[in-house]
Amino acid sequence: SSLSIPSDWFRSKGLEPKSYYLVVGRFVPENNYETMIREFMASNSKRDFALVTNVSDKFLEELKEKTHLDRDPRIKFVGMA
């Protein structure tokens, strides 16, 4: 059986069901978030890039400086892992 997530959860995160790539993991440099974000930003994907992680403010600020991820509305931090 499949997991059913209420559609209002998707809307609250700015997502549409089945229209995003999902990454779940610890928010640390060794998990290659910089590479994933850079490559996604370089893509022409119409999907969103949803991250479920324990956001570290320090690492997030570093990534914003390096990648300017905050300029890409497709990248969404949607919750804690």
Side-chain angles (χ1 to χ4, degrees):
S1 73
S2 65
L3 178 65
S4 178
I5 299 172
S7 61
D8 59 338
W9 182 88
F10 288 101
R11 279 193 297 277
S12 75
K13 305 299 181 185
L15 299 171
E16 291 294 323
K18 300 183 182 181
S19 66
Y20 58 91
Y21 299 107
L22 178 66
V23 175
V24 179
R26 289 181 313 121
F27 196 58
V28 292
E30 58 265 26
N31 281 346
N32 297 308
Y33 282 94
E34 183 177 348
T35 300
M36 286 188 277
I37 289 168
R38 280 189 190 283
E39 294 303 315
F40 178 78
M41 289 176 70
S43 78
N44 291 321
S45 178
K46 302 293 186 229
R47 294 176 182 246
D48 288 321
F49 190 66
L51 297 107
V52 177
T53 185
N54 60 317
V55 175
S56 156
D57 290 338
K58 182 175 184 268
F59 184 46
L60 179 59
E61 288 307 313
E62 288 175 25
L63 282 178
K64 282 181 182 178
E65 286 180 27
K66 291 178 179 179
T67 66
H68 305 289
L69 65 90
D70 47 333
R71 297 181 188 165
D72 191 326
R74 300 172 301 164
I75 299 173
K76 300 177 181 353
F77 288 85
V78 298
M80 297 284 287

